Amino acid sequence: MNRTWGILLLLFLAPLPAFSDGGVLIPRDKSQPDPTILSLEEMEITVEIDNGDARVFVRQIFANHTAGIQEGNYVFALPSRATVSDFAVWDGPVRIPAVILERKRAGEIYNELKQQSIDPGLLQMGERGAEEAKRSAIFSARIVPIPAYGTKRLEFEYHETITVENLKSYFAIPLRPDAYHAQIARHLRIDFELRSAHGLTNFEAPAKSYTLQLAQNTPQIVRGQFEGENVNLAEDFVATFDLDKAGSDALAVITHRNPSSGTPSPAETAPVRRTNEPGFFAVDALLGFGPNSGATKDSSAGAAPAKTVLILFDTSLSMQWEKLERSYQALETLLHALKAEDKFNLILFNSRVQLLQQAPVAASSDNVQHALDFVRASRLRGGTDLQKVLEEALRESAASGSNPYLVLLSDGGATEGLIKNAKLAASYEADWKRLPEASRPKTYIFGVGDDANFPLFKLLAREDGVLESVLSTEPIEFKLNSFLSKIGRSPVGQLALAVSPDSAVGFVYPLQDAAFAGSRAAWVGRYENAANDVSFSVRGVRDGTPLAMSSKANLPSESADHPQLPRLWARARVDALLEKIEREGEDAASIDEIIRLSRQYKFVTPYTSFLAVPRALLRPRVIRPGDPVIRVKTDPAIVSVVALFPFGLVKPLRFLPAEDTWQTRFLVPTDLADGTYPVRLVMRDRSGQTYCESKTFVIASKSPTVEIKLPKTRYRRGETLDLKVSASQNTRTIVARIEGALPVSLHWDSKANTNTGELFIPEQMIPGTYHLTVTAEDVAHNMGSQGVDIEIVP
């Protein structure tokens, strides 16, 4: 009776599968976009990158092709370094912008309007509590009404910080959907502009579907445009560029001051002239490669000392699906990157801890393969005891000798042992400091998943570490490669900004926790009074050698350039306050300041929400694929939840206090066909009032089929294997693997009409017969695979 299936239960906001960042509008009771009902008629994307800050504005118009009023579920996911700065819907010719309100007040208005049968819009991070909001990157909306044979226009804007690694930068808008079929935009326009005070080189926009026509390509400005009809959004829009190493070890200072503030308060309808508006500045230091750097573009890291790497691999139940896939990819890439003289040990953890070996072993090919087999033979189970595994790792580090590294691959969701972020981080810090200095591991964290516990990771990475995270919608390669390239290297030490005269500026915040050679170090601050010839200097220690750079700049009384600086400063100030709250607990003054800055500079925080009225109802959603389980988060006033299934089953849900969730299991009749089915939820509150919600779940019992197409079955070492794979229509991910080589993900190629990818056969592979396996996973997480033997010859 228990079938393999996937359930889509749309309720309160929580981690979702990967959605198109450009926005997908799905007709109600449908599991996929259906262009015969709601189609994407127009899409305009404006990208403005100004010295590492990317502003992305998206406008979409959807058309209703039916004679009835439609309702759609609109979903989008943000990049991990992004912050929503605007959202609006249109009711005919009227633009209804969202405003920032204190989170509790927004919820009260939202509930009041619902009771009056008015459709409010509520856009917020997380569900109700600020703690959950700190770990959410998904936003969703119910868009209603979409008039018969009419259109609905949506707009949103976000800002994203673009990093520099090894003097290279990577920017992407993940238009290619993961869980859904690719949309087709009847008309698509992309306007792109990149500005940099540091010299730009080697700009590329490699996406074949969006060929950027460049109108300008200079060392300071790149400007281009794409426009097309009936564009299949089957790949991401990507831009890559280098920063000229000839301009490294130099400072750039940019400023902005607008005495007439452009951000009206909620009670205002237009900007108001304010004479006391501060000015803002940013200092950007491009850190070049020193003479002793081991990771320059033109030299290898072969001179780096041998290291011991302790890898903590999360195998708890929360690591299902793409989290496991991505953490395993990070593990596999890391192990293959180790040198023969390095040592490593692998520690699997969930409710308990399991070591690969009792002590670190040499990074030989046999030991690396044994480690990968060890992971593949394990099972996801139990909760997550981060305290236990961190203590075990520090014990290993104390016995491992010098130059140890601790690499954590996890979502950071502690459920056992110490679970409060501040207490867990304080415990780790105390244990870390008790070790001899030479035995203290550098704490490197690669967070995976849309619900990764970023606040905890930031606290843990304070111990001489590095933090990187990747969302389900983001390409992993650039982030993973930059993260792994730092293992065995040291960040620029004692890095600090000095301003003279010091009284000229105030409230200065760094925009990074650590900076390496080949990256950017940036600070943002504000000033009250205009001043000329202010001195800015940055000092540090790079590879044991003192580093110094300086520049002079004016702090003007008025400057319209770089309008992103006020919001960038406010975001940095809020991040500092949130970290303080994480360490010391909530206090009224910090929360009030967070709410004030969020409203003044218009961005969502864990304590605020966007509210738009009267038409667009933005509502939190959760999707729980997997076993036959319904999990529902409700308002605290709800005391009873009953589920009414379409096949006659009535099941009460049980409340789980530890998870603040209602849950029930149920059996699906064996004769129920695959498809989308409604389930009615009847909820009763403390006063006896009842509410009904109609949601949907998806039955998907068939594993995807896979067919491998190879031009030949014999390959030489160092050759690239061109893969073409056919798979079922509902396939979500396709990965090809062969022992001794890095796995590769395959993606849909509309021109080839199949899924394609390239798998590189390493030069050092031993000749012989190998088994190539291609595994496909569908939206319900059913797995299907096919294998074929190939011969590797010298």
Side-chain angles (χ1 to χ4, degrees):
M1 297 287 286
N2 188 1
R3 304 176 63 188
T4 305
W5 61 295
I7 180 167
L8 302 181
L9 178 63
L10 305 183
L11 271 180
F12 289 98
L13 183 62
L16 303 179
F19 298 116
S20 167
D21 182 75
V24 175
L25 187 61
I26 305 167
R28 184 180 180 180
D29 298 333
K30 295 285 185 180
S31 61
Q32 293 281 346
D34 188 342
T36 65
I37 300 175
L38 297 173
S39 66
L40 178 55
E41 293 297 292
E42 294 186 28
M43 184 172 186
E44 291 186 9
I45 303 174
T46 302
V47 179
E48 297 173 351
I49 303 177
D50 184 357
N51 291 278
D53 178 86
R55 170 188 171 268
V56 180
F57 175 79
V58 179
R59 180 179 70 88
Q60 293 173 288
I61 298 177
F62 294 90
N64 177 4
H65 298 283
T66 72
I69 295 175
Q70 289 292 329
E71 174 184 334
N73 294 316
Y74 181 78
V75 289
F76 65 91
L78 296 175
S80 57
R81 296 186 180 94
T83 302
V84 174
S85 52
D86 198 11
F87 183 84
V89 297
W90 288 72
D91 187 7
V94 180
R95 185 179 191 268
I96 306 174
V99 296
I100 293 287
L101 294 176
E102 187 269 329
R103 188 182 187 88
K104 182 179 179 181
R105 179 57 182 151
E108 292 172 351
I109 297 174
Y110 174 82
N111 289 326
E112 290 171 5
L113 292 174
K114 278 208 307 181
Q115 292 176 7
Q116 299 170 35
S117 299
I118 299 174
D119 290 334
L122 184 62
L123 175 61
Q124 58 186 19
M125 299 171 62
E127 184 197 342
R128 295 181 310 276
E131 186 65 32
E132 178 186 343
K134 297 171 189 174
R135 297 178 54 182
S136 179
I138 303 293
F139 295 91
S140 66
R142 192 184 76 178
I143 307 301
V144 59
I146 307 170
Y149 299 114
T151 61
K152 178 61 69 174
R153 175 172 169 174
L154 308 172
E155 298 174 354
F156 72 92
E157 176 188 273
Y158 66 85
H159 284 253
E160 178 186 3
T161 300
I162 308 302
T163 60
V164 176
E165 302 291 351
N166 299 321
L167 297 182
K168 296 179 179 292
S169 282
Y170 177 95
F171 168 77
I173 303 176
L175 298 173
R176 178 182 61 85
D178 192 2
Y180 295 133
H181 300 157
Q183 290 191 103
I184 293 179
R186 190 180 65 81
H187 179 80
L188 173 65
R189 175 170 172 162
I190 300 175
D191 291 297
F192 181 90
E193 182 175 285
L194 166 64
R195 292 178 177 269
S196 175
H198 300 292
L200 300 165
T201 64
N202 300 326
F203 175 84
E204 292 183 359
K208 296 178 181 178
S209 299
Y210 325 109
T211 305
L212 208 60
Q213 301 298 318
L214 295 183
Q216 189 173 2
N217 188 359
T218 70
Q220 264 63 54
I221 301 176
V222 176
R223 185 182 292 114
Q225 185 184 90
F226 167 81
E227 194 160 6
E229 305 292 326
N230 299 316
V231 180
N232 190 358
L233 305 181
E235 63 177 323
D236 301 335
F237 175 81
V238 173
T240 63
F241 54 93
D242 297 353
L243 295 181
D244 192 348
K245 63 180 180 181
S248 59
D249 290 349
L251 285 187
V253 181
I254 59 176
T255 60
H256 175 84
R257 187 168 193 174
N258 185 5
S260 177
S261 172
T263 306
S265 70
E268 299 165 348
T269 57
V272 174
R273 186 81 177 181
R274 300 187 179 98
T275 58
N276 61 343
E277 283 298 309
F280 299 88
F281 69 91
V283 179
D284 189 326
L286 183 60
L287 305 175
F289 296 107
N292 301 320
S293 294
T296 66
K297 206 182 285 189
D298 304 317
S299 65
S300 70
K307 55 189 174 291
T308 300
V309 181
L310 305 172
I311 308 169
L312 283 53
F313 190 89
D314 191 343
T315 58
S316 64
L317 283 173
S318 67
M319 293 294 290
Q320 295 182 84
W321 321 131
E322 76 279 344
K323 291 184 188 178
L324 179 62
E325 186 71 34
R326 291 183 167 220
S327 57
Y328 183 82
Q329 182 177 348
L331 169 69
E332 193 171 22
T333 308
L334 168 58
L335 289 175
H336 283 296
L338 295 177
K339 301 181 180 62
E341 61 269 23
D342 295 331
K343 293 184 177 181
F344 77 95
N345 202 359
L346 177 61
I347 307 175
L348 307 185
F349 69 96
N350 40 61
S351 300
R352 61 190 186 91
V353 169
Q354 187 178 7
L355 278 71
L356 172 69
Q357 303 284 356
Q358 292 305 307
V361 296
S364 66
S365 58
D366 287 344
N367 286 335
V368 166
Q369 190 58 48
H370 178 52
L372 296 174
D373 292 341
F374 180 62
V375 174
R376 285 197 287 262
S378 66
R379 295 177 58 190
L380 297 184
R381 63 180 73 193
T384 309
D385 196 331
L386 278 171
Q387 178 189 6
K388 184 185 294 184
V389 72
L390 290 172
E391 290 173 349
E392 179 61 39
L394 292 180
R395 282 193 291 269
E396 284 270 310
S397 181
S400 65
S402 59
N403 202 23
Y405 285 78
L406 183 157
V407 180
L408 175 63
L409 306 175
S410 173
D411 61 6
T415 60
E416 299 182 22
L418 292 176
I419 60 175
K420 292 292 185 182
N421 289 348
K423 291 183 178 180
L424 183 53
S427 173
Y428 178 69
E429 179 184 10
D431 292 343
W432 187 85
K433 289 182 175 179
R434 277 194 287 267
L435 295 177
E437 188 170 349
S439 297
R440 295 173 183 171
K442 297 177 176 64
T443 309
Y444 280 44
I445 301 172
F446 193 76
V448 293
D450 300 329
D451 60 343
N453 194 349
F454 196 74
L456 172 64
F457 289 159
K458 286 191 69 174
L459 296 176
L460 294 177
R462 295 291 188 199
E463 311 313 325
D464 199 8
V466 169
L467 168 60
E468 185 59 270
S469 63
V470 61
L471 300 178
S472 58
T473 50
E474 293 182 304
I476 189 175
E477 286 76 14
F478 181 83
K479 286 191 170 186
L480 178 58
N481 291 337
S482 65
F483 173 79
L484 296 180
S485 73
K486 296 171 184 174
I487 298 177
R489 298 167 57 198
S490 296
V492 176
Q494 304 171 36
L495 193 62
L497 169 70
V499 183
S500 179
D502 182 64
S503 59
V505 301
F507 295 99
V508 180
Y509 297 98
L511 297 182
Q512 68 288 314
D513 296 321
F516 286 74
S519 69
R520 295 169 61 244
W523 293 261
V524 64
R526 71 179 195 179
Y527 62 92
E528 297 297 334
N529 301 312
N532 293 328
D533 292 330
V534 177
S535 296
F536 297 85
S537 61
V538 170
R539 297 184 182 275
V541 178
R542 179 179 55 201
D543 301 320
T545 303
L547 169 70
M549 57 191 87
S550 61
S551 180
K552 285 191 174 183
N554 297 331
L555 302 179
S557 58
E558 187 165 352
S559 173
D561 295 335
H562 315 296
Q564 78 276 9
L565 291 183
R567 183 179 287 109
L568 190 65
W569 175 86
R571 181 75 255 184
R573 172 66 178 164
V574 166
D575 286 344
L577 291 170
L578 289 173
E579 187 169 328
K580 172 179 176 289
I581 289 173
E582 202 67 46
R583 291 193 313 268
E584 304 171 9
E586 293 183 334
D587 63 275
S590 296
I591 294 174
D592 288 346
E593 185 175 359
I594 289 171
I595 294 171
R596 178 180 62 80
L597 290 172
S598 173
R599 295 177 65 180
Q600 182 176 355
Y601 296 104
K602 201 171 184 184
F603 57 90
V604 178
T605 74
Y607 295 96
T608 54
S609 304
F610 270 125
L611 185 69
V613 294
R615 291 293 184 183
L617 177 56
L618 289 111
R619 307 177 63 181
R621 304 292 192 220
V622 65
I623 292 180
R624 296 285 184 182
D627 289 334
V629 176
I630 286 184
R631 294 168 60 87
V632 180
K633 285 182 179 291
T634 68
D635 187 275
I638 297 298
V639 297
S640 170
V641 181
V642 176
L644 309 178
F645 293 91
F647 42 85
L649 181 66
V650 178
K651 289 279 291 188
L653 278 67
R654 183 168 60 92
F655 186 66
L656 306 178
E659 302 181 42
D660 189 26
T661 300
W662 296 84
Q663 175 178 301
T664 190
R665 291 181 177 272
F666 64 97
L667 295 177
V668 180
T670 56
D671 58 349
L672 196 64
D674 287 5
T676 301
Y677 293 89
V679 57
R680 291 181 60 208
L681 298 171
V682 180
M683 296 166 282
R684 179 170 55 84
D685 63 16
R686 296 189 187 100
S687 64
Q689 190 170 359
T690 59
Y691 309 86
C692 289
E693 291 275 1
S694 180
K695 306 302 173 186
T696 60
F697 64 91
V698 174
I699 300 295
S701 61
K702 298 176 182 177
S703 298
T705 58
V706 179
E707 182 182 354
I708 304 173
K709 301 173 184 177
L710 294 177
K712 58 183 180 179
T713 57
R714 175 178 290 187
Y715 295 87
R716 295 187 180 277
R717 293 182 294 185
E719 191 175 352
T720 297
L721 194 157
D722 292 319
L723 286 167
K724 292 185 178 180
V725 174
S726 299
S728 303
Q729 187 179 22
N730 63 342
T731 298
R732 179 174 176 269
T733 61
I734 304 175
V735 178
R737 283 192 173 87
I738 188 172
E739 183 180 338
L742 293 177
V744 62
S745 296
L746 283 76
H747 302 292
W748 178 256
D749 185 330
S750 56
K751 293 184 179 179
N753 199 34
T754 190
N755 302 283
T756 62
E758 295 182 345
L759 191 150
F760 178 72
I761 300 172
E763 294 278 3
Q764 67 271 21
M765 281 189 70
I766 300 172
T769 300
Y770 290 79
H771 193 68
L772 170 69
T773 302
V774 176
T775 303
E777 180 184 356
D778 65 17
V779 294
H781 301 292
N782 299 310
M783 307 286 285
S785 65
Q786 186 187 42
V788 61
D789 288 336
I790 65 171
E791 184 180 359
I792 306 298
V793 298

